[in-house]
Amino acid sequence: MKARDLLKLVWANLNRMRGRVVMTGMGVLIGTAAIIVLIALATGVQQSITGDLSAYGALNQILVFPGAYFQAFGGGSIGEDAVLTPQKLIELGRIDGVVAVTPYEQLYGEKTLRYNRLVGSSSLVGIDPRAVRDMGLEVEQGSDRLNRETVLIGARVAENFADPRRRRASSEDPPNLLGQTLTVEMRRTFSEEDREVRTIRLLVGGVLKERGGQDDSSIFLALDTLEDLNAWSSGQRIDRRTEGYSQAILIVNDPKRMRQIETSLMIDEGFLAYSARTSLDMLNTIFAVLQAVVGGIGAIALIVAAIGIANTMVMSILERTREIGLMKAVGATNRDVMSVFIGEAGAIGILGGIGGVVFGIGAAKVIDMVAMAYVNADLARSGATGGSGIDSIAVIPLWLPLFAVAFALVIGLASGIYPALRAVQLNPVTALKYE
Amino acid sequence: MAKQKQASLITVRDLRRTFKLGNTLVRAVDGLDLDVIDGEFLCLMGPSGSGKTTLLNMIGGLDRPTDGQIRVNGQTITTLDENALAVYRRQQVGFVFQSFNLIATMTALDNVKFPMIFAGISEAERDERARDLLEQVGLGHRLHHKPTELSGGEQQRVSLARSMVNRPRILLGDEPTGNLDSRTGIEILEIFQRLNNQGHTIIVVTHDPRVSNYATRTVHMLDGQIVADNAAPI
């Protein structure tokens, strides 16, 4: 039998039991749609979470904290000796795979950031000026040089300036701060009566490209400048050679070494280390399992549908017993008979699968629209500006529809095997006389 | 006798077929010998249960004997595997059944074309052969009617056309007039006779005594054995 004739015969046979094919196919459709929707949701959640996560640090950075931080996590006296002294940082910088290392300090104390009448909410951080490029901080405008006089501002810093007396409309363009002077009003209090105010000026030498995460809302100062300000604010200068820095950033150029370095920092050195990359890898593993689980739930629906197909085919074979006898009498081989019935089952599978993909994508889109409407309403209420990092709660990767249709086809074909074997085993003499 | 000098097309030797009915063993065909010469129109008669349909089914390759041998055109069909037997049915024999066994959802034309699908014949050729054969049985005007829209005689003529599509040497009829009134039965027998005159070897199992009028030879069976064999001169 030619393949084309087989397909035509299968189609004609399905056509004459159309009602049953539609009902059986619905089972496959629902199963396939369930797989599509569930995996789309798992993927969407994965992307929004992992997308958020990479906002906590560029993927080539390891954040290192003194070992004493372990105590905050109930680590007892572990890592007490792990201090981020300048000498230690030089050593860390020599680790194979580490491109650069910089202390990372924030400005503490009471302060107000101003630009003309606008008040800003960005944090001020101090880094080693030599590490700017290695940290991946690229300028959109201006120069990436960081020195005593100039600062670099993140892409969203300008947006974070607002007039406290009136709410800036979101449509209003944020000020262009390049070449402008920001002022920081710092206050220190010794006692109720003894307060001091100091105003410092920061010249914006460069505006950084948007990269996602907190760097976009940070103002980068040369470390020495920041250290001076912190010393003034707290009234005493911390000796980094004994106390160490409160945080350092290691830039690692080889993503594969990241985890190993991170582990070594914690186990061998006693530091607390964190990288977005490692967390991302772990989360991705968790989500792969989650996808398999939810996909499996959908697959159960498809397997139930497969039993439906098998049932329909067995019924159909009972009704068409004489026809099967006739097929054999006129010279159809067992292979021909198998092909016809497995073909019919497979066709129900693939038709249901295609329907399920269309329906599933539609359902995922609807869920996405409804969910995003909620998310956006929520964001608007909380007053957040700009993107949340979530564009979509249901994401359909390209492989998913193809996989779903292929799976439905395989399920259909498999469910046809038993009925087809029954058809093959019919005795033609009794089949021809079957009432 | 003249028939023994000619080479036989079908040779049946010591054929046995037993069925188990509950605890009893039924000998449907019990040590039967038969030679059918090329070009014969054999009428196989006998009471119900005499084993004539069982014999026909085994000659047609639909059933397998418990013991014994059938040779058709030099080929021993009793030892063929399933696949080769299917090919034998497709190429050497055509069946006509009492209850027609047409596919209800297909038109007369499609019913006739159906067996050719399994022979791998092209659609154009299928169409041509089927139309031609339906024309020959006088149904050229009923091509697109479904079996339910046809009379019994017309349905049996469709079935006759269908049995011919793969150009078999042998036509096998199992009570082909059994469901027809006497006038349409005669029409069918006349077509069988015409096909016999064209060179087809025909074996018809029947209760209908009129069939022997058209046959060249009538064989009577009883209890799985041949009890009378009256060859009319060819």
Side-chain angles (χ1 to χ4, degrees):
Chain A
M1 186 164 38
K2 292 175 181 166
R4 194 159 159 255
D5 288 331
L6 174 64
L7 289 179
K8 278 166 83 172
L9 188 60
V10 163
W11 184 252
N13 287 344
L14 291 182
N15 231 327
R16 64 181 149 132
M17 50 176 192
R18 206 175 302 143
R20 242 180 301 164
V21 168
V22 167
M23 281 187 279
T24 313
M26 283 297 279
V28 181
L29 185 148
I30 291 167
T32 312
I35 289 180
I36 295 274
V37 169
L38 289 170
I39 294 187
L41 285 175
T43 310
V45 171
Q46 174 182 19
Q47 287 194 0
S48 59
I49 286 180
T50 55
D52 271 5
L53 191 78
S54 58
Y56 287 101
L59 290 175
N60 65 345
Q61 298 184 352
I62 299 178
L63 312 186
V64 189
F65 303 91
Y69 279 33
F70 267 123
Q71 286 160 19
F73 297 96
S77 61
I78 300 168
E80 261 179 325
D81 306 331
V83 180
L84 290 166
T85 60
Q87 182 57 38
K88 190 75 202 172
L89 290 191
I90 291 167
E91 284 171 35
L92 294 183
R94 290 192 188 124
I95 296 174
D96 202 12
V98 175
V99 186
V101 58
T102 173
Y104 186 93
E105 288 294 332
Q106 299 204 29
L107 182 64
Y108 304 111
E110 209 186 331
K111 61 185 183 289
T112 311
L113 179 66
R114 292 183 195 280
Y115 170 66
N116 297 338
R117 273 193 308 195
L118 306 178
V119 174
S121 56
S122 303
S123 58
L124 287 88
V125 299
I127 55 168
D128 186 338
R130 291 166 296 180
V132 169
R133 283 190 192 163
D134 290 321
M135 281 179 76
L137 299 173
E138 293 176 57
V139 287
E140 178 85 40
Q141 299 171 282
S143 146
D144 65 359
R145 278 188 49 207
L146 198 56
N147 52 38
R148 279 211 163 269
E149 288 76 38
T150 60
V151 298
L152 298 174
I153 62 170
R156 304 197 99 100
V157 167
E159 286 172 26
N160 292 342
F161 276 96
D163 190 334
R165 279 162 298 182
R166 68 185 182 96
R167 212 186 150 118
R168 182 166 57 87
S170 56
S171 60
E172 202 174 306
D173 282 339
N176 184 354
L177 298 177
L178 183 69
Q180 303 296 312
T181 302
L182 311 177
T183 59
V184 184
E185 220 175 83
M186 299 178 65
R187 285 171 293 280
R188 60 178 178 182
T189 309
F190 297 110
S191 67
E192 283 288 327
E193 302 82 33
D194 191 2
R195 290 177 145 220
E196 236 182 298
V197 178
R198 181 182 174 193
T199 302
I200 52 160
R201 296 168 171 280
L202 304 172
L203 175 65
V204 178
V207 179
L208 298 169
K209 281 186 183 161
E210 186 162 355
R211 60 188 299 190
Q214 62 180 12
D215 288 349
D216 284 346
S217 307
S218 298
I219 297 174
F220 293 92
L221 285 71
L223 184 66
D224 291 346
T225 313
L226 194 97
E227 290 276 82
D228 290 346
L229 298 180
N230 270 341
W232 181 85
S233 179
S234 62
Q236 60 173 49
R237 180 173 284 273
I238 298 166
D239 185 356
R240 299 299 183 188
R241 282 169 303 176
T242 54
E243 305 277 313
Y245 292 101
S246 52
Q247 186 183 344
I249 293 175
L250 261 59
I251 316 296
V252 179
N253 59 0
D254 182 0
K256 276 172 261 165
R257 303 214 52 180
M258 206 111 190
R259 187 151 200 178
Q260 180 208 331
I261 295 171
E262 195 182 328
T263 310
S264 161
L265 285 171
M266 294 210 268
I267 305 296
D268 304 334
E269 306 270 0
F271 291 112
L272 179 62
Y274 163 88
S275 76
R277 162 79 61 186
T278 306
S279 305
L280 198 61
D281 289 348
M282 277 162 57
L283 271 175
N284 279 334
T285 309
I286 292 168
F287 275 107
V289 173
L290 181 68
Q291 281 190 15
V293 169
V294 297
I297 292 168
I300 289 170
L302 254 192
I303 287 163
V304 173
I307 295 166
I309 296 179
N311 186 41
T312 297
M313 294 308 299
V314 168
M315 289 300 293
S316 161
I317 281 161
L318 274 180
E319 286 167 18
R320 285 151 69 189
T321 298
R322 290 176 75 108
E323 184 182 323
I324 294 161
L326 178 77
M327 283 169 74
K328 293 188 166 192
V330 300
T333 59
N334 284 346
R335 196 195 145 117
D336 291 335
V337 176
M338 285 285 289
S339 305
V340 169
F341 288 99
I342 289 186
E344 288 176 26
I348 296 176
I350 201 164
L351 290 175
I354 290 169
V357 164
V358 171
F359 185 74
I361 290 176
K365 292 250 186 279
V366 170
I367 291 170
D368 197 38
M369 269 163 54
V370 173
M372 286 315 292
Y374 268 103
V375 169
N376 288 333
D378 224 38
L379 284 174
R381 219 173 305 128
S382 68
T385 55
S388 58
I390 308 172
D391 318 311
S392 211
I393 201 84
V395 175
I396 296 164
L398 192 65
W399 60 267
L400 184 55
L402 301 175
F403 166 80
V405 171
F407 190 54
L409 172 64
V410 169
I411 283 281
L413 292 174
S415 63
I417 291 173
Y418 167 69
L421 281 174
R422 279 188 60 153
V424 163
Q425 281 158 8
L426 282 177
N427 178 326
V429 173
T430 44
L432 280 163
K433 296 207 166 113
Y434 185 85
E435 294 296 336
Chain B
M1 281 194 287
K3 69 179 182 192
Q4 279 161 342
K5 284 175 191 153
Q6 295 177 29
S8 65
L9 178 65
I10 302 167
T11 313
V12 178
R13 287 291 173 269
D14 197 23
L15 197 70
R16 290 168 201 277
R17 180 73 168 100
T18 53
F19 296 101
K20 249 194 154 148
L21 263 181
N23 283 330
T24 55
L25 206 63
V26 178
R27 299 172 195 278
V29 174
D30 194 11
L32 184 144
D33 294 327
L34 177 70
D35 288 272
V36 181
I37 291 159
D38 194 10
E40 268 188 324
F41 184 157
L42 187 81
C43 172
L44 206 52
M45 298 192 74
S48 293
S50 60
K52 53 192 192 304
T53 296
T54 305
L55 173 63
L56 189 81
N57 286 336
M58 286 190 286
I59 291 173
L62 279 180
D63 196 7
R64 286 178 184 279
T66 312
D67 202 4
Q69 196 193 52
I70 302 172
R71 289 175 67 80
V72 176
N73 200 16
Q75 186 183 28
T76 305
I77 65 162
T78 37
T79 54
L80 293 177
D81 65 22
E82 281 291 315
N83 209 39
L85 204 57
V87 174
Y88 163 76
R89 290 194 292 259
R90 182 195 303 162
Q91 293 176 345
Q92 304 287 339
V93 296
F95 281 97
V96 179
F97 307 96
Q98 177 175 4
S99 51
F100 323 131
N101 279 319
L102 297 174
I103 297 174
T105 50
M106 289 187 186
T107 62
L109 186 64
D110 286 337
N111 264 292
V112 177
K113 284 157 76 173
F114 188 62
M116 291 186 278
I117 292 175
F118 305 108
I121 293 167
S122 76
E123 166 64 27
E125 168 98 30
R126 293 206 293 261
D127 199 64
E128 195 189 319
R129 279 199 207 177
R131 283 171 189 273
D132 184 44
L133 283 164
L134 282 164
E135 194 73 46
Q136 282 184 39
V137 297
L139 284 178
H141 61 297
R142 307 285 262 173
L143 298 178
H144 301 294
H145 287 70
K146 295 205 170 149
T148 47
E149 298 156 358
L150 298 171
S151 70
E154 286 172 326
Q155 289 186 57
Q156 195 59 302
R157 280 190 271 168
V158 173
S159 151
L160 255 163
R162 182 182 62 194
S163 72
M164 298 289 300
V165 285
N166 285 325
R167 295 169 179 160
R169 274 181 95 161
I170 303 162
L171 284 185
L172 304 173
D174 188 3
E175 302 274 12
T177 59
N179 277 6
L180 304 176
D181 61 55
S182 59
R183 196 178 56 80
T184 45
I186 285 169
E187 283 171 19
I188 295 299
L189 289 172
E190 282 168 349
I191 295 172
F192 268 114
Q193 193 173 45
R194 203 171 74 224
L195 293 169
N196 181 235
N197 291 337
Q198 288 169 11
H200 292 282
T201 302
I202 294 169
I203 304 176
V204 169
V205 163
T206 189
H207 285 109
D208 183 349
R210 291 172 308 172
V211 177
S212 54
N213 298 335
Y214 295 85
T216 60
R217 178 181 172 195
T218 302
V219 168
H220 286 267
M221 281 182 72
L222 188 66
D223 297 336
Q225 287 171 334
I226 292 172
V227 290
D229 188 345
N230 311 314
I234 295 174

